[in-house]
Amino acid sequence: MPDRYHIKTVATPGRFYRVGKFGEVDWREDCSRCFDCVKLKCCFDVYKHETEHNRDPRTATQPLYECKACMSCVQGCTKGLLTLSVNPEYLDMGDEYWKPDVLFTTWNQADTGKIPVSGAGYRGPFHGFGFDSIWTDMSEIVRPTRDGIHGREYISTSVDVGPKPMRLQFTPDGALVESSLKVLELPVPIVLDVPAWAVRGAELAEARARAAQELGTIAAAYVEDAAKLPAELLASVAPVVGCADVSKPGKQAEGALKAAKLVELLDGTDDEVAKAVEALAALNPQAIPAVRLTLVPGVYGRIVELAKRGVKVFHLCADPHGCEVLKGGAQGRHIKDAIRETHGKLVEAGIRDEVTLIVSGGIALAEHMAKAIICGADAVGADTALLVALGCRVCAGAHALSVHGGAKDGAAPCPDCPADGVLAKATEDLQYAAQRMVNLMGAWHSQLIEVLGAMGIREVRRLRGEMGRAIFMEDIEKDAFGDLEQVPEEVNA
Amino acid sequence: MANANVLEGTPHEAGRSSWPQEKVERKVAPAPDRYRNAIGKYKIYRSAACNSCGRCVQVCKYGVHKKPKGYALTLRPEDHLCVGPACSEQGEMCVAACPQKALKIRLNPNADAMGDPRWTSDLIISNWYQAETGHTPPDYLQYRHGESGGGFDKIRFKFEVPGTGYTPPEPVPTEAIDTGLDLNRSGDGRPQVHIDIPLYGGGMSFGSVSIYTILAKARSAAAWNTFSCTGEGGYPDRLMPYDDHMITQVATGLFGVREDTIKRVRIVEFKYAQGAKPGLGGHLLGDKNTPEVARMRGAVPGNALFSPFPFHSVYSVEDHKKHLDWIKEVNPDCLVSVKVSTPTDVDMVAVGSYYAGAHIIHLDGSYGGTGAAPDIAKKNIAMPIEYGIPKVHKFLVAEGIRDKVTLIASGGIRTAYDAMKAIALGADGVVIGTAELVAVGCVRCACCESGRGCPRGIASTDTELAELMTLDWATQRLVNLQNAWHEQMLDILSRLGMKSVRELCGRSDLLCYLGTPGQTKTL
Ligand code: SF4
Ligand code: SF4
Ligand code: SF4
């Protein structure tokens, strides 16, 4: 058995201003100065930390971030002076996909690298948009040799990226054709992807590359950023490069391309792609060429086409809400539906096992990774989530996020966005930024194992396309409630 | 199924505990909030303009304003009793009556900070109302369902919805209605076990909740002639006076499971999986494993305790049967319940359990649960109970064995209406957990797992925190809650023209769905 894959997480408190969920209103004028004030009894020391913060505002923690709304102080105060309310600033964060709770849990996971655990059952809506209408299966009894996620058994999260020929090829004199065997094994089914909008920069790319190196995976970076990275990181970087630029790269970019194990080409004409693949093979025979495609309806057509021409790895980029990008910038279906379709079409075309699909955009939580894989992805890309780990609040207006596809090159980040200053500062200290990314991925990895463990599946490769082991809301509701009389919703309003 | 040896509906003496059993009275009594400032839906602000004339005290019909004899000033209003703007429909309201215009009523911001779509603040506050008074909450609180936008929250009894074309039958007088349930339908000659209400308390282990929580659950189960369950943390001696109303849980960790704890009860429950963390074992954080807990479980204090998943002796239905046979051998008078979660093949699991000899199949849906669990599991793994019930019910009917087995549903039964909807969808009865915790003061802050455990002393073995409530108070709150639910169950059955809750099972034709099931949400 190989050594168990382990992600080393290190507690790394965030250095950015955090928005807590609850705000406390304290009517101090009426306070009777009770000797056993409820504030002293807060189980989470919220008031103690508030006092510290008042004495020295430079302390890192924002006191109200820690309040759990247990209501003990509110209900216990002798004179009833304390009131809790939901912090409007909290509710204002993010958008309808990157909900405040998503940002909150991502920050916490990047702090500690631990799986979020809480009591008292599930608290959210019954089902929702996109991934929130899928449940994963679990296995009740019939499953030998499993000892829980804390046990002896090894659950593999490795995936293979690269052309996977259905059979080995040999030359007439019996030698193995090496080029047919270029596969890159990633120990986690995640690549660290470039942000979907214009907060790029060499620092951020370097933080991603360091994290990828630590995790044993790959970070995507635009080739001009990749060119600026220290040489020892280049093996962990997949340069994203235009087809034309492969044939005549600048000196530094050439270094990046030569060291890369995976190169993501921006799609061009058939001819351009073919030329770029050829040029890459000449420059770096070991590099696996991939094509980075925007997720549009019918994208499988392009995949089949390119696969015929020898490209076997595809990186499908959805918009930051995980949706297809339609003409004119409108939002299409969610990746949950788009990937299921793509996967099915590739199965029909008989090439599903030969190609690798990496899907990014809208992968906001660990469960999204598991569900995207169930829907047919081999691996996912984490992009916006990595920014969130560094304090980004996905403030829509700021980075042209509302423009689908996001990356409006050169668009200046919004000067008001608190995250920007924070990102810049965070990336000054690359180790800090990388460690928070590693922590987040560590937490995601553990959660993936929880999901796999519950299903009784021992490796993530077998999760791909396992739609029979998922419960889709559209189907189950019809089974369960199809026979109930339907009444218009307004009736009960 | 009628059983030759046992008269239906009468408890059989066999299988009862030899330990002296304590009787707990089924009596409603007021049990006000244990905190100084109760939280209600509305908050009353009284400005400095007040001159304590006492007019509001005269006007208010709900005792919100108080000015005891001999007091110069009016007291701080007990605003949790306030019914809000609806008050003006019933006559003069304090806000209008105050000559000084000193009063304002607003939605309580504290209520806003409590709750979530599944357990709205209205549900929490109305649960507290029921636990305090023992009766159905007033209509200004939405006490029947939450706002989660699916499942029970989208399902209504037709009589609740105007314009369904449903003609209500002649109501049955509530005195003539029976809410009781016989749990042994197998006809295998084992004793009958009858419960007076179609619900019992879920398993919460000592260690995950405080001893008072456990005892209060057991005592109210005794009062209502139903059951509570040990959970997987062993059988504290202090529960022995309630043996006849306890279920011993045998879970994968086998913590504290001994021959005598299996012998002393009338129902033994096999926990294969639980809804909150389906497919994952139980997990007690080291902090909560106090010396007392460790002694009960036969473990080392301070160590995190994991129970594995699944049972390591059960890899097939045959193994499963062997397990049940073992329990039946140890206690020849007990019924066996099998608790499973809701995977896609839950219907097959249920049938398998039946053929293995289970009397009760207990489905635990994924959205419920009280203990600490990974967020990813609670939200994503296995299906919510609303889907599981009809799936299993229909399959058991098709197999022709539905009337041989008792189907119990749990995992997200928050209200009496949820319980009755679950029964109409095909369950015989339900198990509740969170609703009981809320009744004894849980605000669903979800920090049951952190550090010393629950800051409100419910899910905590920290001795100081556990003392935040008394056993008598907690018992009374639970007895009251059951009474309020019982009232509502009688009311529902009466409106449906039914004499017994058993008639409701599987009557999904009495339900309707708001909107179209299976419709995806858009961003
Ligand atoms: S509500 Fe609870 S956690 Fe928040 S400050 Fe008060 S006592 Fe502390
Ligand atoms: S009626 Fe107005 S002025 Fe009089 S006691 Fe009440 S609040 Fe004060
Ligand atoms: S910690 Fe919070 S959610 Fe858990 S039992 Fe206590 S009050 Fe309820």
Side-chain angles (χ1 to χ4, degrees):
Chain A
M1 197 170 89
D3 263 353
R4 203 174 269 234
Y5 177 63
H6 175 75
I7 296 177
K8 189 157 168 279
T9 57
V10 180
T12 310
R15 297 180 191 159
F16 47 89
Y17 171 74
R18 304 191 168 210
V19 184
K21 180 160 183 186
F22 300 103
E24 157 249 327
V25 182
D26 185 350
W27 208 253
R28 286 190 195 175
E29 287 89 335
D30 277 352
C31 173
S32 348
R33 309 264 179 273
C34 313
F35 71 95
D36 59 346
C37 175
V38 282
K39 293 181 181 177
L40 302 173
K41 291 189 260 182
C42 169
C43 285
F44 308 97
D45 290 340
V46 169
Y47 293 95
K48 235 176 257 168
H49 296 165
E50 188 191 16
T51 314
E52 279 158 24
H53 183 72
N54 288 346
R55 288 208 186 102
D56 179 6
R58 282 164 307 175
T59 48
T61 49
Q62 277 69 41
L64 288 171
Y65 187 76
E66 297 167 295
C67 169
K68 305 275 203 265
C70 76
M71 296 288 163
S72 302
C73 59
V74 170
Q75 287 201 265
C77 169
T78 316
K79 300 195 72 179
L81 304 179
L82 303 171
T83 304
L84 224 54
S85 63
V86 180
N87 182 358
E89 196 185 357
Y90 181 84
L91 297 177
D92 274 351
M93 294 195 301
D95 60 23
E96 64 279 23
Y97 192 90
W98 294 88
K99 296 189 181 110
D101 289 350
V102 172
L103 307 185
F104 194 81
T105 183
T106 304
W107 291 343
N108 290 341
Q109 290 175 56
D111 284 349
T112 62
K114 294 207 174 106
I115 304 184
V117 172
S118 62
Y122 172 60
R123 322 166 70 75
F126 196 83
H127 57 75
F129 176 73
F131 289 126
D132 286 351
S133 59
I134 302 178
W135 293 271
T136 63
D137 197 14
M138 55 84 62
S139 179
E140 203 71 56
I141 24 178
V142 190
R143 167 158 28 105
T145 72
R146 225 204 111 218
D147 203 6
I149 55 164
H150 311 286
R152 298 180 292 268
E153 187 173 313
Y154 184 68
I155 296 179
S156 160
T157 54
S158 293
V159 289
D160 302 313
V161 174
K164 286 165 243 173
M166 292 295 101
R167 59 196 76 78
L168 297 177
Q169 285 173 18
F170 297 91
T171 57
D173 51 4
L176 191 63
V177 178
E178 291 274 354
S179 65
S180 63
L181 282 178
K182 281 187 295 195
V183 264
L184 174 61
E185 182 176 329
L186 305 181
V188 275
I190 319 172
V191 297
L192 310 186
D193 204 7
V194 290
W197 63 91
V199 274
R200 359 198 285 218
E203 292 85 9
L204 211 49
E206 182 164 350
R208 268 202 315 281
R210 285 195 192 201
Q213 191 178 47
E214 170 76 30
L215 294 165
T217 183
I218 291 285
Y222 288 104
V223 71
E224 55 276 25
D225 294 334
K228 296 185 197 129
L229 299 181
E232 71 271 14
L233 291 176
L234 289 179
S236 302
V237 172
V240 178
V241 61
C243 285
D245 298 335
V246 188
S247 325
K248 18 180 182 359
K251 188 121 187 47
Q252 278 179 306
E254 190 177 313
L257 290 173
K258 275 189 166 156
K261 294 180 183 148
L262 181 75
V263 173
E264 296 199 357
L265 304 168
L266 296 167
D267 197 18
T269 62
D270 290 349
D271 203 36
E272 283 165 352
V273 175
K275 277 214 188 99
V277 170
E278 220 169 278
L280 180 64
L283 202 61
N284 176 357
Q286 283 314 310
I288 300 166
V291 172
R292 195 174 168 98
L293 298 167
T294 304
L295 185 70
V296 293
V299 72
Y300 53 83
R302 185 71 186 137
I303 294 176
V304 173
E305 191 60 37
L306 287 167
K308 274 192 215 138
R309 290 163 199 277
V311 179
K312 304 289 185 181
V313 179
F314 300 92
H315 188 150
L316 303 177
C317 304
D319 79 3
H321 295 158
C323 291
E324 289 173 330
V325 182
L326 304 185
K327 288 207 181 69
Q331 207 157 41
R333 295 169 302 171
H334 187 259
I335 32 183
K336 149 197 149 222
D337 301 307
I339 298 300
R340 268 199 289 173
E341 182 191 59
T342 310
H343 174 78
K345 293 284 182 187
L346 298 182
V347 171
E348 275 170 35
I351 58 165
R352 182 61 192 97
D353 283 335
E354 288 170 34
V355 302
T356 309
L357 296 184
I358 302 168
V359 175
S360 63
I363 306 293
L365 296 166
E367 69 216 43
H368 296 175
M369 161 173 58
K371 289 174 179 178
I373 294 172
I374 288 175
C375 289
D378 290 278
V380 299
D383 42 28
T384 309
L386 300 177
L387 293 182
V388 176
L390 301 183
C392 165
R393 288 194 225 162
V394 195
C395 48
H399 307 287
L401 183 63
S402 48
V403 178
H404 296 299
K408 224 174 149 201
D409 289 26
C414 162
D416 301 330
C417 173
D420 270 314
V422 169
L423 284 175
K425 233 186 288 145
T427 44
E428 267 164 32
D429 184 349
L430 292 165
Q431 197 41 44
Y432 158 83
Q435 188 59 53
R436 283 187 64 88
M437 292 181 185
V438 169
N439 286 353
L440 181 64
M441 294 301 110
W444 282 22
H445 173 252
S446 309
Q447 291 173 79
L448 179 63
I449 289 184
E450 297 261 357
V451 172
L452 289 168
M455 292 170 90
I457 289 183
R458 293 177 57 184
E459 56 169 336
V460 76
R461 292 182 183 99
R462 285 179 45 206
L463 188 65
R464 190 200 71 198
E466 268 282 35
M467 291 171 225
R469 299 299 307 278
I471 299 155
F472 291 90
M473 188 276 294
E474 297 85 351
D475 309 331
I476 187 86
E477 288 245 316
K478 278 178 204 136
D479 289 353
F481 306 144
D483 52 357
L484 303 189
E485 185 180 324
Q486 291 171 27
V487 292
E489 222 151 320
E490 318 79 68
V491 169
N492 207 251
Chain B
M1 270 288 104
N3 176 333
N5 304 325
V6 179
L7 280 177
E8 208 149 13
T10 45
H12 190 275
E13 284 312 304
R16 297 247 169 194
S17 173
S18 52
W19 195 264
Q21 295 295 288
E22 194 173 318
K23 229 179 120 33
V24 184
E25 230 186 320
R26 189 187 297 180
K27 197 181 92 194
V28 170
D33 203 290
R34 61 185 152 105
Y35 286 86
R36 199 181 165 87
N37 314 313
I39 296 178
K41 182 162 181 166
Y42 300 102
K43 198 170 167 83
I44 295 171
Y45 296 89
R46 184 191 267 132
S47 76
C50 168
N51 59 10
S52 297
C53 71
R55 180 85 185 99
C56 50
V57 183
Q58 294 162 359
V59 172
C60 183
K61 294 170 280 298
Y62 299 94
V64 175
H65 300 281
K66 288 202 170 72
K67 188 180 173 191
K69 234 192 159 92
Y71 276 52
L73 302 176
T74 25
L75 297 184
R76 181 146 61 86
E78 302 233 24
D79 37 18
H80 74 287
L81 301 171
C82 171
V83 302
C87 180
S88 62
E89 290 158 24
Q90 302 157 28
E92 205 176 11
M93 180 181 180
C94 61
V95 176
C98 171
Q100 300 297 319
K101 300 265 165 290
L103 295 172
K104 263 193 305 201
I105 293 186
R106 293 286 179 271
L107 283 171
N108 188 351
N110 288 318
D112 208 27
M114 282 195 311
D116 49 72
R118 283 193 58 75
W119 271 90
T120 56
S121 63
D122 263 28
L123 280 188
I124 296 176
I125 292 170
S126 61
N127 177 302
W128 287 345
Y129 180 96
Q130 298 172 70
E132 175 167 349
T133 65
H135 299 295
T136 309
D139 276 330
Y140 79 91
L141 293 169
Q142 179 45 271
Y143 61 91
R144 301 181 192 91
H145 56 79
E147 299 291 341
S148 75
F152 292 135
D153 295 346
K154 281 276 194 161
I155 295 172
R156 300 283 186 277
F157 279 103
K158 285 180 180 166
F159 67 69
E160 291 181 88
V161 182
T164 49
Y166 171 75
T167 18
E170 191 64 25
V172 176
T174 46
E175 313 80 66
I177 297 175
D178 174 22
T179 54
L181 217 56
D182 287 334
L183 299 178
N184 184 1
R185 309 173 82 196
S186 69
D188 66 351
R190 285 183 173 247
Q192 187 53 273
V193 172
H194 180 87
I195 53 179
D196 290 352
I197 38 174
L199 68 87
Y200 55 84
M204 290 176 211
S205 58
F206 179 56
S208 70
V209 293
S210 83
I211 188 73
Y212 293 141
T213 309
I214 292 187
L215 286 172
K217 274 163 53 69
R219 287 170 59 85
S220 92
W224 278 94
N225 185 31
T226 182
F227 284 84
S228 180
C229 172
T230 58
E232 63 172 330
Y235 203 116
D237 289 344
R238 288 179 72 179
L239 280 176
M240 286 170 72
Y242 317 103
D243 281 346
D244 284 348
H245 300 283
M246 287 308 296
I247 297 173
T248 292
Q249 187 178 77
V250 179
T252 49
L254 299 176
F255 291 121
V257 174
R258 296 189 312 269
E259 198 172 315
D260 57 315
T261 63
I262 288 173
K263 278 189 154 158
R264 65 168 75 127
V265 293
R266 295 192 290 160
I267 303 178
V268 176
E269 170 178 291
F270 260 102
K271 188 183 83 179
Y272 278 93
Q274 52 189 339
K277 36 196 154 173
L280 313 168
H283 181 185
L284 188 74
L285 290 146
D287 288 338
K288 275 190 162 187
N289 185 9
T290 61
E292 216 186 335
V293 172
R295 190 165 42 73
M296 195 82 62
R297 298 193 178 209
V300 180
N303 273 8
L305 297 181
F306 295 104
S307 42
F309 181 87
F311 273 112
H312 280 268
S313 38
V314 181
Y315 295 122
S316 66
V317 175
E318 291 74 24
D319 286 347
H320 173 44
K321 177 164 185 337
K322 228 163 29 191
H323 241 175
L324 300 196
D325 288 347
W326 158 52
I327 294 293
K328 288 180 173 176
E329 197 57 38
V330 175
N331 182 347
D333 289 323
C334 74
L335 304 187
V336 181
S337 164
V338 173
K339 177 175 175 182
V340 294
S341 170
T342 46
T344 44
D345 58 350
V346 59
D347 39 1
M348 297 300 295
V349 170
V351 170
S353 295
Y354 166 74
Y355 282 110
H359 299 93
I360 300 170
I361 294 167
H362 174 173
L363 303 180
D364 194 21
S366 63
Y367 280 175
T370 50
D375 289 350
I376 190 167
K378 294 194 291 190
K379 178 179 173 193
N380 302 291
I381 303 181
M383 57 174 101
I385 193 65
E386 287 94 325
Y387 300 148
I389 301 168
K391 196 173 168 80
V392 170
H393 172 72
K394 288 174 195 167
F395 198 63
L396 292 175
V397 170
E399 290 283 301
I401 52 176
R402 180 64 189 89
D403 55 358
K404 302 262 199 227
V405 63
T406 302
L407 182 62
I408 297 288
S410 70
I413 308 287
R414 303 153 297 178
T415 67
Y417 273 75
D418 281 357
M420 296 303 261
K421 287 171 192 170
I423 293 173
L425 284 174
D428 291 299
V430 299
V431 162
I432 58 171
T434 305
E436 290 183 314
L437 295 191
V438 172
V440 294
C442 165
V443 285
R444 287 181 51 74
C445 61
C447 24
C448 332
E449 93 297 353
S450 50
R452 297 158 74 195
C454 171
R456 301 181 59 105
I458 302 160
S460 175
T461 41
D462 182 287
T463 37
E464 190 188 337
L465 290 171
E467 291 306 329
L468 285 171
M469 66 181 174
T470 65
L471 179 54
D472 284 342
W473 176 85
T475 308
Q476 190 60 56
R477 296 277 285 192
L478 293 177
V479 171
N480 286 353
L481 181 76
Q482 312 277 49
N483 191 69
W485 281 35
H486 186 240
E487 262 181 29
Q488 292 165 62
M489 288 175 171
L490 291 177
D491 174 59
I492 293 170
L493 292 170
S494 159
R495 285 159 176 249
L496 295 172
M498 291 178 177
K499 287 216 167 72
S500 160
V501 72
R502 289 181 297 258
E503 291 171 45
L504 182 61
C505 174
R507 290 292 305 276
S508 55
D509 58 307
L510 299 169
L511 301 174
C512 57
Y513 192 93
L514 303 181
T516 316
Q519 239 166 21
T520 35
K521 302 223 160 77
T522 49
L523 261 193

